[in-house]
Amino acid sequence: MAPRSEHAGGSASGAAAAAAAAAQSHGSGFDSMDPFFHALRVVPFAFLQPPRTRLKLPSNLALPSPMVVFSLILLTYFSVVSGLVYDVIVEPPGIGSSQDPATGAVRPVVFLPGRVNGQYIIEGLSSGFMFLLGGVGVILLDLAVDRTRPRSLRVSFGGAGVAAIVIAYAMAMLFLRIKIPGYLW
């Protein structure tokens, strides 16, 4: 890329023409025939220049450890798949209840049956935990294929990973069948 001159000489139209010529010669990613788009892209930079900032990070600021970053990502994943945003916006009840028609007794209901786009708070948290358990199972399987670990540890990681994935899948399918009766039969 050609160096830019630092002097303020020349007119605004000359600077715009120079910027347009530089954009044409360097093959910018915006090869549009629209003159309005071209003017919108070139004209503001004829008289505006971005400030030259030199930001420095504080010297006592250190990067977090990989385990802290992993924990934050895992917590964020759990929050998203649990429907935490839905719970905050809609404010559903924590758990539901239904009355038994034969005895008249009220029993707790964890899953909101028949409504795919609604959930109780406990339903979202338990489903999110099952998805998280499946993800941890995949991570354990990844650790099980590392040849630098002892064989007994690899077998333990592999067994725990397979068990976690099987349990998570079975429970997620059970939750889905409770949520939508007759689905996948």
Side-chain angles (χ1 to χ4, degrees), residues 68-157:
V68 170
V69 173
F70 172 73
S71 301
L72 289 175
I73 290 173
L74 206 62
L75 183 68
T76 304
Y77 174 72
F78 175 73
S79 301
V80 169
V81 299
S82 294
L84 203 66
V85 175
Y86 171 83
D87 292 341
V88 168
I89 292 173
V90 177
E91 296 178 5
I95 195 167
S97 62
S98 68
Q99 189 171 11
D100 189 12
T103 62
V106 176
R107 61 184 179 93
V109 176
V110 176
F111 291 93
L112 188 60
R115 285 195 50 207
V116 181
N117 59 347
Q119 72 178 17
Y120 295 128
I121 293 174
I122 296 297
E123 174 185 353
L125 293 176
S126 57
S127 298
F129 179 74
M130 288 303 130
F131 288 133
L132 186 71
L133 183 65
V136 168
V138 171
I139 292 170
L140 289 174
L141 285 179
D142 181 55
L143 292 174
V145 298
D146 186 11
R147 295 280 180 196
T148 60
R149 298 185 190 279
R151 180 169 171 73
S152 62
L153 191 60
R154 287 188 289 144
V155 169
S156 299
F157 281 156

